Amino acid sequence: MYPITNFTHRLRQVSAATLLGFGLISAGVAHAADAKDSVHLAYVEWSSEVASTNVMRVLLEKAGFDVKMSSLSAAAVWQAIATGDADATLAAWLPTTHADYYERLKDKIDDLGPNLDGTKLGLVVPAYTEASTIDDLNAKASDFNREIIGIDPGAGLQSLTEQVVKDYKLKLRLRDGSDATMTAALSNAIKNNEDIVVTGWTPHWMFARWDLKYLEDPKNVYGGAEQIHTIARKGLKEDLPTAYAILDQFEWTPDDMGEIMLMNEEPNSDPYANAKKWVEDHPEKLKKWLASE
């Protein structure tokens, strides 16, 4: 597993802004912003986390908070929450992907539980590819250009895939990249009907756009289904009880997230604007997430 990198550049503390003084738009919602009304959300630049973090921004703004968002590596996200440089994240993949970060920092963060259930990790190929298990890759290594297209090196998925390469003695090299470079390579390969193997996860918009399949993992290196958790800094519940309650109450489904991820993939799309539209189109969820206890 990758060690957690030092958070070399301390994120600037979010300054308290003037209380906006308006209540929630939804009927029956009694939340109002706390005295210190700035919330700092950290996230990883993955399509799933872009979707959930922008939705949370909309929810917190409706409660009167000023919201700052910082895109960081997975390691830096965990470190920022643990040190209090950020208030919360909706991007903690547990129990497998971010197990190393959790074990190191569990005493310095608050785990608010899952915001999404039913995730999956693994190696993904186009449906037309003959390979069906990870064991099949070596026999066809040249067809895949002897490489696995990965994402950012700080991601737990990348670390697990390094373990997969070792455990299966694969003759393919794992390439670092990003969500964007991975899907670009996948798109190009499919347009040319070429074989490609990428690191993948569910939920992700690529499964709605293309006919893909996971390679079976007989050694179970990637583990079973996971959840995406919300984690917060220590003391947030006392400092910003309303924001903490909204973060704690937020939970949705892969289908919910998938709707926004597809919207975000449209040309010239704005994830924040899409989140606002999606929230407006789902008033029952808004009421539930912002409801008083």
Side-chain angles (χ1 to χ4, degrees), residues 145 166 184-185 195 250 258 263:
N145 199 29
K166 293 177 183 177
D195 286 322
F250 178 72
M263 292 167 67

Side-chain angles (χ1 to χ4, degrees), residues 78-96:
W78 280 83
Q79 191 73 2
I81 305 303
T83 58
D85 285 314
D87 292 311
T89 184
L90 293 89
W93 286 62
L94 295 170
T96 304

Side-chain angles (χ1 to χ4, degrees), residues 66-87:
D66 177 53
V67 180
K68 177 181 178 179
M69 293 170 51
S70 292
S71 173
L72 306 168
S73 69
V77 165
W78 280 83
Q79 191 73 2
I81 305 303
T83 58
D85 285 314
D87 292 311

Side-chain angles (χ1 to χ4, degrees), residues 127-197:
Y128 56 72
T129 297
E130 291 184 7
S132 59
T133 75
I134 297 176
D135 284 315
D136 294 336
L137 290 175
N138 279 340
K140 299 283 188 180
S142 59
D143 293 344
F144 297 100
N145 199 29
R146 299 188 182 278
E147 62 185 10
I148 299 168
I149 309 301
I151 55 173
D152 48 292
L157 174 57
Q158 201 75 344
S159 300
L160 285 171
T161 305
E162 285 192 334
Q163 192 63 46
V164 164
V165 171
K166 293 177 183 177
D167 289 359
Y168 285 90
K169 297 180 173 56
L170 295 182
K171 300 174 184 176
L172 292 82
R173 179 175 65 91
L174 175 62
R175 281 181 47 185
D176 292 336
S178 66
D179 184 2
T181 59
M182 179 272 288
T183 52
L186 182 61
S187 176
N188 186 63
I190 291 173
K191 286 178 182 177
N192 293 294
N193 201 41
E194 298 171 346
D195 286 322
I196 186 173
V197 56

Side-chain angles (χ1 to χ4, degrees), residues 47-56 59 90-91 113-119 203 227-230 246-264 271 274-276 278-279 282 285-286 288-289:
S47 56
S48 52
E49 275 53 59
V50 169
S52 60
T53 307
N54 275 282
V55 168
M56 180 53 63
L59 299 182
L90 293 89
N115 60 65
L116 186 142
D117 200 1
T119 66
Q227 299 169 323
I228 307 178
H229 285 226
T230 302
I246 295 170
L247 286 158
D248 194 28
Q249 289 169 179
F250 178 72
E251 185 175 2
W252 61 347
T253 69
D255 286 343
D256 293 332
M257 181 184 279
E259 289 177 13
I260 296 185
M261 288 193 292
L262 277 176
M263 292 167 67
N264 290 346
N274 290 339
K276 287 199 292 186
W278 190 90
V279 169
H282 295 78
K285 292 184 181 292
L286 174 64
K288 178 181 178 182
W289 291 332

